[in-house]
Amino acid sequence: MNNETARERLVNGLERSKRLQRESVLDSLRAVPRHEFVPERYREWAYEDRPLPIGHDQTISAPHMVAIMTDRLALSQGDRVLEIGTGCGYHAAVVAETIDAGTVYSVEYVPELAQSARERLDRLGYDVHIKAGDGHNGWPEHAPYDGVYLTCAIPELPEALIEQVVPGGRIVAPIGEQTQKLLVAEKRADGSLSRRIDGRVQFVPMRGG
């Protein structure tokens, strides 16, 4: 089975699950070549719905998790989005497809991953801005953002990230340590957050701080 056929089969399965609310996210998953983001020795599993190692004790998230997190951000074309944890760049590419002419800013703690993701995304034509650094601080120079998401688990949301989201914007993040849950938060006009939990998850812990 070639990559295009395998990718279509994967996305069709996610569509049938009825867990996604936005067709734009499914379209983005169909457009992004996940195999390009997976180390060569794991590429035969690129279109299985599972996480895979990418080195430095990090993983590329399972496609269903990328889809759910992107869906819950409720993004629109032209949005500005902050990602904490670039990894291999796959999730950023899916978000970039979803917001079209918008901009993705991404912070990666491991310099080698930041550099390789930057080169990969540039080669594939995605306009994603990446810097190596501590994601706890966000990226204030480009704030405010319409959405922020974390691809790593953290006990509590850093205040810096909350401050960098516009009122009405959303934050999606794995919260917890041994037991993790997916937090979907929306910033109110007064700066506080409305919060809800969208299932249990399992992510690598956030570094730095």
Side-chain angles (χ1 to χ4, degrees):
M1 185 184 301
N2 63 35
N3 287 318
E4 290 73 19
T5 302
R7 184 160 68 247
E8 184 67 22
R9 185 182 66 175
L10 169 67
V11 178
N12 288 344
L14 296 177
E15 186 171 22
R16 287 193 298 271
S17 74
K18 305 296 185 184
R19 298 185 69 186
L20 304 177
Q21 301 164 6
R22 293 165 180 82
E23 188 69 30
S24 60
V25 176
L26 292 165
D27 291 342
S28 297
L29 290 169
R30 288 188 172 98
V32 178
R34 189 175 188 249
H35 63 278
E36 294 280 2
F37 296 86
V38 173
E40 191 167 348
R41 64 184 177 276
Y42 299 118
R43 284 189 178 174
E44 64 181 292
W45 301 294
Y47 294 107
E48 293 187 10
D49 192 13
R50 56 185 280 195
L52 293 167
I54 58 170
H56 302 277
D57 297 319
Q58 304 297 299
T59 61
I60 177 174
S61 294
H64 80 272
M65 198 72 256
V66 172
I68 288 170
M69 292 180 68
T70 306
D71 185 84
R72 302 308 187 258
L73 283 168
L75 298 169
S76 300
Q77 292 191 6
D79 278 351
R80 296 163 64 87
V81 182
L82 176 64
E83 173 186 65
I84 304 300
T86 317
C88 62
Y90 174 67
H91 201 150
V94 172
V95 171
E97 286 280 357
T98 304
I99 60 177
D100 193 21
T103 309
V104 180
Y105 297 90
S106 187
V107 182
E108 170 54 53
Y109 187 75
V110 181
E112 294 86 353
L113 286 177
Q115 181 60 29
S116 62
R118 186 181 297 114
E119 293 171 357
R120 183 178 301 111
L121 289 161
D122 284 349
R123 175 172 56 83
L124 295 171
Y126 290 104
D127 183 22
V128 177
H129 302 266
I130 299 171
K131 77 167 183 176
D134 187 342
H136 290 82
N137 303 317
W139 199 340
E141 292 84 356
H142 299 290
Y145 302 99
D146 300 290
V148 173
Y149 66 98
L150 286 75
T151 67
C152 42
I154 193 167
E156 293 290 339
L157 286 178
E159 192 62 37
L161 299 184
I162 298 172
E163 291 173 357
Q164 290 172 37
V165 179
V166 299
R170 290 190 177 189
I171 303 174
V172 177
I175 298 293
E177 295 177 277
Q178 281 74 29
T179 300
Q180 300 172 11
K181 297 179 180 180
L182 187 66
L183 173 69
V184 180
E186 186 167 329
K187 189 171 181 179
R188 301 186 181 102
D190 65 2
S192 64
L193 295 179
S194 66
R195 301 170 183 247
R196 66 180 176 88
I197 297 298
D198 194 355
R200 291 193 175 188
V201 294
Q202 189 63 50
F203 281 76
V204 296
M206 188 172 181
R207 299 187 187 183

